[in-house]
Amino acid sequence: MLFDKIKNWFHNVPDGYKRYSGKYHNGYAVYLYREEEGERIFHGPFSFEVMGGMGSSYEIKGQFEDNRKVGVWTFSHSSKTAGSTMEVTFERGHCTGSFYYTERKMNMSGNAIPTDVSFVMDDGRVQGEINAVLDGRVFKGQCNDNGMPDGVWVLQHNDNEKRPQRDYEEWEDGHLLKSYLKSGDNGSVKETEPHLRQLINMVLDNDCLRILNFVPRGSFGPFAHIPCHKSKKEEA
C-alpha cells in the first residue's frame, strides 16, 4: 500500500505545518499543509492512492508550493490487463516543461500493445516535436510556439497484408493543407480525411486528463489539448 512505501517521508514536519493522512477524493492521501483563515494550504510532498474497479489502482506523487503543483508529478495506473505512467512538469500550477506518458495494454493474444507520447509544454500548450507510439504505430509531428499543428505529421503502420503505409498531414500554423496516405513499395498516394491530431488528442483528453483530474488541486490553465483552425469545408 501507498502508506507503507512513504512512511518515512513526513517525519520532519516544519514549524507551522501539519501532516494529514486519510481519506481524500474517494482515495487516501498523505500531505503537509498549513492553515490560513480556515483554509488548508498544501505545501510540500503529496501522495495519493485510489482503488478502481477490476483490481485496478492509481498512485499519484508530487510536490505542492503554496497550493500550486510544482516540479515533476508522477501518475501511475495498474490493472490486470494494462499499466500506465504519466510524468507532468509544473511551474506554479501550470503545465510547463517535459511531458511523458506510457501505457501497455494486453490484446486478446496476450501481447502488450505500446502507447508512448512525449513532448514539451509551455503553460499547457504543446510546443516543438511530438514523438509517439500509438498502439504500436510510430508517430512524429510538431506544434509551433502558439501550440498549433505545424509542418508535416506522419503515422507509420502496416495494412492487413503487412505492407508499410504512412499517413501524412501537412499543417501551417493550425491550418490543414493536405491529408493523404502513401502505401506499398511504389508509394501510391491517396487523399484521406485528417485524423492524426484526433489520435493524439484522444490519448491526452481521454486518458491523461482523466488521471490528472484525480487531484485537481493546484492545477491552472489548459492541459495539452492540440487545437486547430477550421478547414475550408467546415467554414463553407
Side-chain angles (χ1 to χ4, degrees), residues 152-192:
V152 179
W153 289 34
V154 185
L155 180 70
Q156 302 179 44
H157 56 100
N158 296 326
D159 64 14
N160 293 332
E161 297 180 5
K162 305 299 183 181
R163 293 175 298 190
Q165 292 184 320
R166 292 189 179 188
D167 287 300
Y168 288 87
E169 292 179 7
E170 297 181 14
W171 293 87
E172 183 176 343
D173 190 25
H175 295 277
L176 179 67
L177 305 179
K178 295 180 182 179
S179 179
Y180 53 94
L181 171 70
K182 280 188 176 181
S183 59
D185 296 330
N186 59 2
S188 61
V189 178
K190 177 184 178 182
E191 185 177 350
T192 59

Side-chain angles (χ1 to χ4, degrees), residues 174-216:
H175 295 277
L176 179 67
L177 305 179
K178 295 180 182 179
S179 179
Y180 53 94
L181 171 70
K182 280 188 176 181
S183 59
D185 296 330
N186 59 2
S188 61
V189 178
K190 177 184 178 182
E191 185 177 350
T192 59
E193 290 293 322
H195 65 287
L196 302 186
R197 185 183 67 92
Q198 291 89 330
L199 286 177
I200 293 293
N201 278 336
M202 188 180 301
V203 176
L204 298 178
D205 297 342
N206 293 351
D207 298 327
C208 300
L209 186 58
R210 177 178 57 84
I211 298 173
L212 183 67
N213 283 336
F214 275 120
V215 183

